[in-house]
Amino acid sequence: MPRITAAELEAARDRLVPDVIADGLSVLFCGINPGLMTAATGHHFARPGNRFWPVLHASGFTARQLKPSEQDELPAHGLGITNVAARATARADELTAEEFREGGRILREKVERHRPRWLAVAGVTAYRTAFGERGARIGPQDRTIGETRIWALPNPSGLNAHWTLRTMAEEYGRLRAAAMPPRPPERGPGASLPAGMRTDVLRADRRP
């Protein structure tokens, strides 16, 4: 990917980024809002250090680690990406509570229209604000949107140090097991991990 300059990042502020979406997906992943790198490139979760794409692979959603520029391949895997709030910012705390609430309303309409099996919100704080669920925790939620179930996932940002690549992949793997058809169990070193989880990716994690 060509190097993005500071001026290009700043020019991307407030820009809108199109969803990667289709009808009837298995999982529609939902970020908080686009970062400046995503807005500058047009690719979701594009900031270096964001663990979304490695975790997607490590948890078994994709057979190989996709690059942000390959995001349009996701619908073929039954996956898509949207955001709670559409406006690109440098930090999520630049968004107002009203933007989160309005984003939640638009998100509900989008889910009703496209009817994914699961909506997976990557950030429990964003889920709490957008849906008014102050006590929500990571994992499957009681709330549904039509027939779509909701799962609150850990934010894959590299700043979310509480979650390592391994623990994050385990949680995403729980969602994959619920959302996707079961796969034959793997043999070898990864056999004790959730089916499909990639130990070669997990070994790359050096966070404490």
Side-chain angles (χ1 to χ4, degrees), residues 78-160:
L79 309 174
I81 303 176
T82 187
N83 285 285
V84 174
R87 182 169 68 92
T89 62
R91 302 185 313 275
D93 61 10
E94 296 177 37
L95 297 169
T96 66
E98 178 57 32
E99 284 181 288
F100 273 114
R101 286 191 291 270
E102 176 64 8
R105 183 189 67 78
I106 294 172
L107 179 60
R108 286 190 288 273
E109 292 179 350
K110 192 177 301 182
V111 169
E112 289 171 352
R113 183 166 63 252
H114 293 285
R115 294 173 297 173
R117 184 176 180 188
W118 285 88
L119 172 69
V121 182
V124 68
T125 301
Y127 173 78
R128 291 168 181 164
T129 305
F131 290 92
E133 300 277 359
R134 294 185 179 182
R137 297 181 180 275
I138 295 292
Q141 307 299 308
D142 292 332
R143 175 190 288 267
T144 61
I145 303 174
E147 295 183 359
T148 299
R149 297 197 62 191
I150 303 175
W151 198 296
L153 290 170
N155 188 335
S157 168
L159 299 177
N160 186 10

